[in-house]
Amino acid sequence: MGYLVYNDRAQYRFDDRTLSHLKIAITSKLRLQEGFLLSWRVAPEDGGGRISIWLSPSIQLQFIFTEPTPPPLNPQWLEALGRSSHGLRGMVVMTEDEAELVGSGPATDPEVQQRIRMVLDEVSSPLPQREVPAP
């Protein structure tokens, strides 16, 4: 288990494989000078609930790993993290299995959009449905 250290104060525990994917996805956005929300579920054995933190290039982050060798990266997982970061809820930490659902297919496909919504709704409050005005 590794840690995401936020602003030299808070430490958040993630398994090394998840943390490796988060490191790439987060730093890709921060390199573009983008600020965004990062949210995840807290395991019941760790007290349950959800956490959201604001990330921006001005906030110091550290990624501390217990394994000396980085794991192989899953491009679909990275894609899914990136896709989730473009919405109102920001980047959502998801499992590799959830990422396989989110990361497959074009983002404009309604079925893909529904899968993305399903995964994100588990971590943050569901967004209200927008009514599309009749033409």
Side-chain angles (χ1 to χ4, degrees), residues 15-74:
D15 67 83
D16 275 9
R17 184 159 172 75
T18 300
L19 190 59
S20 292
H21 285 79
L22 286 174
K23 179 181 119 177
I24 300 300
I26 288 169
T27 55
S28 294
K29 291 192 66 72
L30 294 177
R31 268 192 219 115
L32 298 172
Q33 299 301 308
E34 295 180 20
F36 59 99
L37 199 60
L38 177 67
S39 301
W40 66 92
R41 295 178 296 258
V42 178
E45 59 271 15
D46 293 328
R50 298 169 297 162
I51 295 176
S52 294
I53 57 175
W54 180 254
L55 300 178
S56 74
S58 64
I59 297 172
Q60 184 177 7
L61 294 177
Q62 294 177 26
F63 299 89
I64 300 174
F65 300 93
T66 54
E67 294 295 322
T69 307
L73 296 174
N74 177 341

Side-chain angles (χ1 to χ4, degrees), residues 108-124:
T108 55
D109 181 337
E111 190 175 309
V112 172
Q113 290 175 359
Q114 180 59 35
R115 290 194 308 252
I116 292 170
R117 221 175 285 115
M118 179 186 72
V119 169
L120 299 183
D121 284 350
E122 290 183 15
V123 176
S124 63

Side-chain angles (χ1 to χ4, degrees), residues 65-123:
F65 300 93
T66 54
E67 294 295 322
T69 307
L73 296 174
N74 177 341
Q76 269 192 308
W77 199 354
L78 294 171
E79 174 70 20
L81 290 167
R83 281 185 179 187
S84 72
S85 72
H86 297 295
L88 295 173
R89 297 180 265 201
M91 186 179 290
V92 174
V93 179
M94 59 189 80
T95 66
E96 193 163 7
D97 289 339
E98 290 169 330
E100 302 269 333
L101 288 173
V102 172
S104 59
T108 55
D109 181 337
E111 190 175 309
V112 172
Q113 290 175 359
Q114 180 59 35
R115 290 194 308 252
I116 292 170
R117 221 175 285 115
M118 179 186 72
V119 169
L120 299 183
D121 284 350
E122 290 183 15
V123 176

